[in-house]
């Protein structure tokens, strides 16, 4: 699809619910006994995958006035699925479900699309087998994942070596079916929505935080109002910064501190970003963001914060390309195992645009302030965040540009194109 350059933006937008929080709301509402309602659930393909999986586990899920009504089945109320549970493109669906199913009294299998089927799943095995779970991956340690009912379940204390919110959540979900207290020690902080939504006890220890969980924390039914998706907001934030004479207000977005490190980086780069009207939704902080066009200068991005900005690196790199100085990312080898190999995807696109790029195993370096005049041609690599990040590049570029397969943005933000169309 061709995106002509945008002249200026003066808009007020709101976004569908945060993807990470929506997944968890669907999961907890399905687990709880009784009826829950979810307002502003993400309409993306990933959350649809989670919903389909729970329908196949016997949960009745329906729509009412744009809200989701979920008739949760309660502890041990899931039905053995009649077929494999298909997680589509969604790592969160596959990994969180693996945790939940590892302590059920039936066998199940999780599969995924071609991208998810080459992503690493072995990282799930140590924490889940510590609790007695019996799981088997394909010979290449990828999906399909077979999960067997185990009669050896017990509590455990797990020291995490891979910073991953999905692996952490898989362990916590598994431990919800065990009466004795288990704990998960996290040394590098990752997004903490599971802990927040289950209201888990935490203790600061050296080095990191220990999270405690048992069946006492099993979710109960409720009303979930999901704040707007902060990772989807990132694309519009960078767009408004880079298009001269622009202002965007994004209302009611998630402002969980583990998700907004990219805002701090953009501010350090010189961006004008203001947060107002903070309130609590789903136990999470939300608020309105006002962004104004600004001139950016690249700053040092510390390796310690990579796990807090992992999903925003593609769009931060686009911001970096239009900023003064060089944009450098290191310590981010995890990018290689996302929906695409994001180091390759980002760098191939920048090289295509004629930029100076240096690629490392764990990151890349680009020279900023690139004044592209020619029309650019980008690939999405079937990856929603690459598609949206490079659409933003085209919208800023003087001669515009193409992004193939922009529909991959439907994975997290089906409203992306519609919102962009209101800016012309
Ligand atoms: C997610 C965790 C992150 C993130 C993903 C969503 C989640 O992955 O990249 O898009 O909802 O738990 P990690 O498990 O690598 O932290």
């Amino acid at each position: 699809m061709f995106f002509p350059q945008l002249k200026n933006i003066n808009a007020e937008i709101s976004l569908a619910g945060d993807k990470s929080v929506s997944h968890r709301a669907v999961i907890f509402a399905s687990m709880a006994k009784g009826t829950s309602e979810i307002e502003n659930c993400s309409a993306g393909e990933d959350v649809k995958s989670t919903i389909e999986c729970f329908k196949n586990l016997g949960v009745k899920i329906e729509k009412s006035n744009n809200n989701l009504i979920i008739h949760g089945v309660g502890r041990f109320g899931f039905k053995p699925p009649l077929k494999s549970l298909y997680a589509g493109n969604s790592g969160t669906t596959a990994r969180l479900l693996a945790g939940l199913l590892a302590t059920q009294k039936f066998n199940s299998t999780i599969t995924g699309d071609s991208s998810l089927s080459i992503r690493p799943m072995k990282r799930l095995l140590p924490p889940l087998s510590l609790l007695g779970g019996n799981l088997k991956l394909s010979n290449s340690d990828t999906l399909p994942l077979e999960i067997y009912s185990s009669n050896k379940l017990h509590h455990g204390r797990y020291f995490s070596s891979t910073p991953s919110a999905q692996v952490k959540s898989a362990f916590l979900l598994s431990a919800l079916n065990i009466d004795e207290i288990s704990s998960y020690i996290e040394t590098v902080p990752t997004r903490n929505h599971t802990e927040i939504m289950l209201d888990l006890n935490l203790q600061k220890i050296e080095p990191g935080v220990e999270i405690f969980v048992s069946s006492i924390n099993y979710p109960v039914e409720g009303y979930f109002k999901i704040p707007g998706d902060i990772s989807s907001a990132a694309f519009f934030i960078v767009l408004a910064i880079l298009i001269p004479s622009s202002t965007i207000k994004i209302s009611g977005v998630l402002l969980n501190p583990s998700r907004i490190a990219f805002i701090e980086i953009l501010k350090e780069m010189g961006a004008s970003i203001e947060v107002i009207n903070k309130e609590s939704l789903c136990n999470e902080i939300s608020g309105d963001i006002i962004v104004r066009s600004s001139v950016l200068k690249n700053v040092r991005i510390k390796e310690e914060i990579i796990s807090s900005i992992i999903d925003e690196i593609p769009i931060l790199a686009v911001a970096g390309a239009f900023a003064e100085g060089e944009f450098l990312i290191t310590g981010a080898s995890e990018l290689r195992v996302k929906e695409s190999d994001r180091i390759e995807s980002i760098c191939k696109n920048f090289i295509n645009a004629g930029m100076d790029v240096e690629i490392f195993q764990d990151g890349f370096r680009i020279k900023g302030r690139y004044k592209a005049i020619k029309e650019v041609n980008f690939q999405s690599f079937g990856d929603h965040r690459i598609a949206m990040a490079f659409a933003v590049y085209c919208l800023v570029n003087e001669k515009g540009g193409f992004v193939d397969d922009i529909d991959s943005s439907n994975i997290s933000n089906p409203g992306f194109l519609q919102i962009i169309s209101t800016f012309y």
Side-chain angles (χ1 to χ4, degrees):
M1 169 162 184
F2 183 72
F3 293 92
Q5 188 190 29
L6 268 175
K7 291 305 173 207
N8 62 31
I9 310 168
N10 261 297
E12 212 179 308
I13 59 171
S14 56
L15 298 167
D18 186 78
K19 180 159 83 74
S20 289
V21 177
S22 298
H23 277 297
R24 285 156 175 86
V26 171
I27 294 172
F28 298 146
S30 299
M31 293 169 73
K33 191 165 184 55
T35 303
S36 296
E37 187 162 349
I38 306 181
E39 182 180 335
N40 200 34
C41 189
S42 161
E45 294 299 321
D46 271 9
V47 174
K48 278 192 195 154
S49 294
T50 293
I51 292 172
E52 274 315 300
C53 287
F54 280 99
K55 284 185 177 169
N56 287 318
L57 286 162
V59 182
K60 195 171 155 214
I61 303 180
E62 51 197 357
K63 265 205 160 164
S64 164
N65 302 325
N66 269 334
N67 287 0
L68 273 187
I69 309 291
I70 301 195
H71 303 277
V73 294
R75 205 169 159 205
F76 300 119
F78 292 121
K79 295 218 168 71
L82 299 173
K83 53 179 184 178
S84 301
L85 298 164
Y86 181 66
N89 192 248
S90 171
T92 308
T93 307
R95 296 195 178 111
L96 270 58
L97 211 55
L100 177 66
L101 294 172
T103 48
Q104 298 294 321
K105 294 175 175 156
F106 52 78
N107 300 342
S108 52
T109 302
I110 300 176
T111 58
D113 72 2
S114 56
S115 150
L116 189 59
S117 296
I118 54 169
R119 291 179 65 187
M121 293 293 156
K122 197 175 174 188
R123 52 185 64 187
L124 285 168
L125 301 188
L128 299 183
S129 23
L130 182 85
L131 300 176
N134 182 6
L135 301 97
K136 191 172 165 290
L137 285 164
S138 75
N139 290 338
S140 46
D141 287 330
T142 51
L143 297 181
L145 171 63
E146 289 169 9
I147 304 166
Y148 301 100
S149 152
S150 162
N151 49 16
K152 293 193 191 125
L153 299 176
H154 50 78
H155 67 132
R157 184 171 192 250
Y158 186 73
F159 195 96
S160 113
S161 52
T162 314
S164 162
Q166 293 172 353
V167 173
K168 169 177 65 177
S169 301
F171 177 94
L172 299 174
L173 283 170
S174 230
L176 283 172
N177 275 329
I178 298 169
D179 291 337
E180 296 79 24
I181 299 176
S182 296
S183 70
Y184 188 93
I185 297 160
E186 186 172 60
T187 48
V188 178
T190 62
R191 64 192 66 190
N192 57 356
H193 309 300
T194 305
E195 298 91 298
I196 288 180
M197 291 172 81
L198 291 172
D199 198 16
L200 300 183
N201 282 329
L202 312 177
Q203 198 179 330
K204 279 215 160 84
I205 56 161
E206 197 43 57
V209 61
E210 182 161 9
I211 307 154
F212 298 92
V213 59
S214 73
S215 58
I216 212 154
N217 306 108
Y218 197 86
V220 290
E221 85 281 11
Y223 189 93
F224 301 84
K225 183 172 178 189
I226 317 283
D229 193 310
I230 183 66
S231 296
S232 298
F235 301 99
F236 300 109
I237 291 174
V238 171
L239 186 62
I241 293 169
L242 295 180
I243 305 274
S245 314
S246 297
T247 308
I248 282 192
K249 180 176 177 193
I250 311 174
S251 314
V253 275
L254 180 73
L255 295 172
N256 177 312
S258 69
R259 298 285 300 281
I260 55 172
F262 78 95
I263 293 185
E264 296 314 314
I265 293 176
L266 287 169
K267 277 179 160 175
E268 238 187 279
M269 289 171 77
S272 161
I273 304 175
E274 201 186 328
V275 172
I276 56 168
N277 299 333
K278 282 193 184 176
E279 63 168 328
S280 169
L281 281 188
C282 257
N283 289 340
E284 296 272 9
I285 309 169
S286 75
D288 303 342
I289 298 181
I290 300 170
V291 190
R292 295 186 181 83
S293 357
S294 323
V295 175
L296 298 183
K297 197 171 174 173
N298 279 306
V299 295
R300 194 169 95 80
I301 297 179
K302 295 196 195 109
E303 292 194 358
E304 302 88 87
I305 63 146
I306 291 295
S307 61
S308 321
I309 57 166
I310 195 77
D311 289 347
E312 285 74 42
I313 291 176
I315 188 62
L316 278 176
V318 169
F322 288 90
E324 192 184 300
E326 54 174 41
F327 179 85
L328 172 67
I329 287 283
T330 55
S333 48
E334 196 58 21
L335 284 176
R336 294 213 176 261
V337 292
K338 289 294 178 188
E339 287 83 330
S340 69
D341 175 342
R342 286 189 177 154
I343 294 182
E344 282 291 315
S345 311
I346 293 170
C347 292
K348 276 189 179 151
N349 276 342
F350 281 142
I351 290 169
N352 231 347
M355 299 181 63
D356 263 356
V357 181
E358 207 184 324
I359 310 183
F360 321 117
Q361 198 286 323
D362 65 343
F364 55 93
R365 182 200 308 271
I366 51 170
K367 275 227 181 76
R369 264 290 154 85
Y370 186 69
K371 284 237 172 11
I373 38 159
K374 63 168 187 163
E375 201 176 86
V376 279
N377 239 311
F378 294 125
Q379 275 178 271
S380 71
F381 300 90
D383 181 333
H384 56 132
R385 300 200 200 281
I386 298 295
M388 291 186 279
F390 285 91
V392 169
Y393 187 118
C394 298
L395 292 163
V396 177
N397 192 39
E398 216 175 298
K399 293 264 164 74
F402 286 92
V403 179
D404 78 339
D405 188 24
I406 188 69
D407 286 348
S408 27
S409 58
N410 290 340
I411 287 292
S412 56
N413 186 8
F416 181 74
L417 285 182
Q418 194 274 326
I419 294 177
I420 296 286
S421 69
T422 64
F423 296 159
Y424 283 101

